């Protein structure tokens, strides 16, 4: 408990929740870091595909980047409309459920949850890649460094939304400023230089430049728009007026994203930068622009910080989405419960666990994770835009035709992008995402069915008739001998109404005779039943006896009072048999059986 308080902080009162709301400045650092950070690797992913067709194909990076820029514009306008129409948050899931039904909504939710997990893994892996580009000796430790970064993010987010936002705001804005300086200075220098320097290497042409290859590059670069939906998922986290502040933050985020992305793409094209295994494109551009002095290292540190902190947007989005699903009965109800610091602690921990697992499985390799990325988020983009199209057709309202056109264009463009991404990345590992979406859908439906069955079985009859009560209570005390713990349990049992039976399993005749003599002295007149057990199965004999009583008296409660000795130190438990624990576990799921544990605490 002391360690938890040191790491997470003291609990916050429920009344303090309104003070945990975010200003636009802090919210930009929390919700936008994912989208903005993608500029560090989106251009690189485009180049990695185009270079397969030789150096000449790299010229297509600018048209591909402009197509992605168009997507940014469409999504910005579309999600601003969603923010105003659904101020309670929830994004694609809430929009799809309101307009398209449960199944499309759950597909959107599953896709988003997978994308959030991938966001953490990809962002941290890319951040560590930026670090190892500046300090190559750390390359072999990238996996361990990534795990440490994720654990740090978990702890900080468990401390609360506002506190984590304040902590991460400074490095986020430092990173944006560093990348902004790189783009401004680099772009000005490139525009003042009429020709691009020749390529230092001449890559071997591995494929022919085809439309399919260009589409593959577009699919890879679409990672630049991942994270744009996070603000719409967390509108309630903003200070009032929530929708207005969220929409304004959306504009800020998109402007920064578009400027940095196009600047880096232009510079990479102008200077003939090629993607390398051991150095990122941003690192090459920073070295080319500023040399390897303090500014270069500041840009690398800022890029690393921004990429690692991009995971923070997922830590803001995933728990909130999970809480909405839990509220609707598609996730465990615990996911909708606030922790000590007024955050959805369970969602934060689960997200961190699966992100760590993914990082270990793919050995911290950004390029191995990227093919899994973007599919889920574009699928949710398409479903949310389609849902809004249906809403305008049904609801209409002020300027509904204009809004319909905006969301219609959004649905078509993101739908096309989804098809392109799925078809070009399917064999690279994208099939795993579709498989996981199917698994999550089955999980959602199974959880919903369980909660529905529970509700039906525990609901009181509408006619007001109480279920029939058992007519009597039989109290059973299992004992293995006579001691203070057993006498304590016996005294408690005698305070309860009903017939009391002490049950002893006879595995040793000599010991049994001793127990019977002691019981005559200390048993207080309670009947002692000795069960024969030729195979020395104490637990089995006790369970058989309980079953026998249940069959003989179907109208009775059976209360099993279990005397249990509790050691003074936790490690002393391994020195005692766990018969009481096993008995409780075996009886817990039996109907009409009530368990009462009577502890006897040792002092040393």
């Amino acid at each position: 408990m002391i360690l938890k308080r040191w790491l997470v902080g003291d609990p916050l009162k429920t009344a303090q929740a309104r003070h945990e709301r975010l200003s636009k400045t802090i919210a930009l650092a929390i919700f936008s870091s994912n989208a903005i950070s993608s500029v560090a690797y989106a251009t690189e992913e485009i180049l990695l595909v185009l270079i397969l067709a030789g150096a000449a194909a790299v010229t297509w990076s600018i048209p591909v980047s402009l197509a992605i820029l168009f997507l940014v514009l469409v999504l910005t306008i579309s999600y601003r409309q969603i923010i105003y129409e659904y101020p309670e948050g929830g994004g694609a899931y809430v929009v799809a459920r309101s307009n398209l039904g449960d199944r499309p909504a759950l597909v959107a939710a599953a896709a988003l949850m997978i994308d959030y997990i991938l966001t953490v893994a990809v962002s941290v892996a890319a951040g560590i890649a930026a670090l190892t580009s500046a300090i190559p000796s750390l390359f072999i430790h990238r996996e361990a460094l990534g795990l440490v970064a994720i654990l740090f993010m978990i702890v900080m987010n468990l401390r609360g939304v506002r506190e984590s936002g304040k902590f991460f705001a400074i490095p986020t804005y430092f990173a944006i400023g560093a990348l902004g300086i790189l783009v401004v200075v680099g772009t000005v220098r490139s525009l003042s230089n009429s020709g691009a320097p020749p390529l230092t290497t001449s890559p071997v042409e591995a494929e022919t430049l085809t439309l399919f290859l260009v589409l593959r590059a577009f699919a890879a670069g679409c990672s630049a728009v991942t994270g744009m939906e996070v603000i719409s998922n967390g509108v309630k986290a903003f200070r009032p007026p929530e929708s207005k502040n969220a929409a304004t933050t959306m504009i800020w985020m998109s402007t920064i994203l578009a400027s940095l992305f196009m600047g880096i793409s232009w510079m990479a094209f102008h200077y003939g930068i090629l993607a390398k295994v051991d150095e990122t494109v941003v690192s090459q551009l920073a070295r080319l622009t500023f040399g390897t002095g303090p500014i270069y290292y500041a840009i690398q540190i800022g890029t690393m910080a921004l990429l690692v902190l991009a995971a923070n947007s997922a830590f803001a989005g995933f728990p909130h989405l999970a809480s909405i699903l839990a509220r609707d009965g598609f996730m465990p109800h615990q996911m909708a419960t606030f922790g000590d610091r007024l955050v959805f602690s369970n969602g934060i921990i689960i997200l961190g666990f699966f992100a760590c697992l993914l990082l270990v499985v793919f050995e911290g390799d950004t390029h191995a994770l990227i093919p899994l990325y973007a599919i889920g988020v574009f699928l949710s983009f398409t479903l949310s835009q389609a849902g809004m199209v249906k809403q305008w057709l049904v609801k209409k309202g002020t300027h509904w035709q204009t809004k319909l056109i905006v969301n219609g264009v959004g649905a078509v463009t993101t739908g096309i992008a989804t098809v392109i991404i799925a078809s070009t990345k399917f064999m690279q590992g994208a099939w795993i995402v579709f498989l996981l979406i199917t698994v999550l859908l089955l999980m959602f439906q199974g959880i919903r069915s369980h909660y529905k069955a529970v509700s039906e079985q525990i609901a009181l009859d509408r006619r007001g008739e109480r279920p029939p009560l058992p007519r009597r209570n039989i109290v059973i005390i299992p004992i293995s001998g006579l001691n203070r713990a057993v006498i304590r349990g016996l005294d408690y049992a005698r305070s309860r109404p009903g017939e009391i039976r002490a049950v002893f399993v006879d595995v040793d005749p000599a010991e049994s005779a001793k127990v019977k003599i002691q019981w005559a002295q200390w048993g207080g007149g309670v009947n002692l039943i000795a069960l024969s057990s030729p195979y020395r199965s104490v637990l089995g004999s006790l369970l058989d006896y309980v079953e026998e009583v249940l069959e003989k008296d179907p109208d009775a409660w059976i209360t099993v009072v279990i005397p249990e000795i509790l050691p003074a130190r936790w490690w002393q438990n391994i020195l005692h048999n766990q018969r009481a624990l096993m008995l409780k576990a075996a009886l817990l799921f039996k109907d009409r059986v009530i368990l009462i544990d009577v502890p006897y605490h040792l002092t040393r």
Side-chain angles (χ1 to χ4, degrees), residues 20-33 36 80 83-84 161-162 165-166 168-170 172-173 176 231 234-254 256:
E20 293 295 300
R21 296 291 188 91
L22 302 173
S23 65
K24 295 190 292 292
T25 306
I26 300 297
L28 181 67
I30 293 178
F31 292 119
S32 303
S33 54
I36 296 173
R80 276 176 53 85
I83 287 170
Y84 282 111
V161 175
R162 188 176 62 169
K166 288 181 178 179
F168 293 136
I170 294 176
T172 299
Y173 284 115
I176 293 173
I231 293 178
V235 178
K236 295 296 290 183
F238 286 81
R239 291 176 181 171
E242 292 89 345
S243 295
K244 181 180 179 181
N245 288 334
T248 301
T249 306
M250 188 86 189
I251 293 292
W252 292 355
M253 177 193 72
S254 300
I256 296 170

Side-chain angles (χ1 to χ4, degrees), residues 388-389 392-393 399-409:
M388 291 300 293
V389 167
W392 301 130
L393 290 173
H399 306 300
W400 70 272
Q401 295 97 333
T402 303
K403 297 175 181 178
L404 174 66
I405 293 173
V406 170
N407 288 124
V409 172

Side-chain angles (χ1 to χ4, degrees), residues 355-370:
C356 287
L357 181 63
L358 204 61
L359 198 70
V360 171
V361 170
F362 288 90
E363 300 179 343
D365 186 357
T366 308
H367 302 305
L369 288 164
I370 286 293

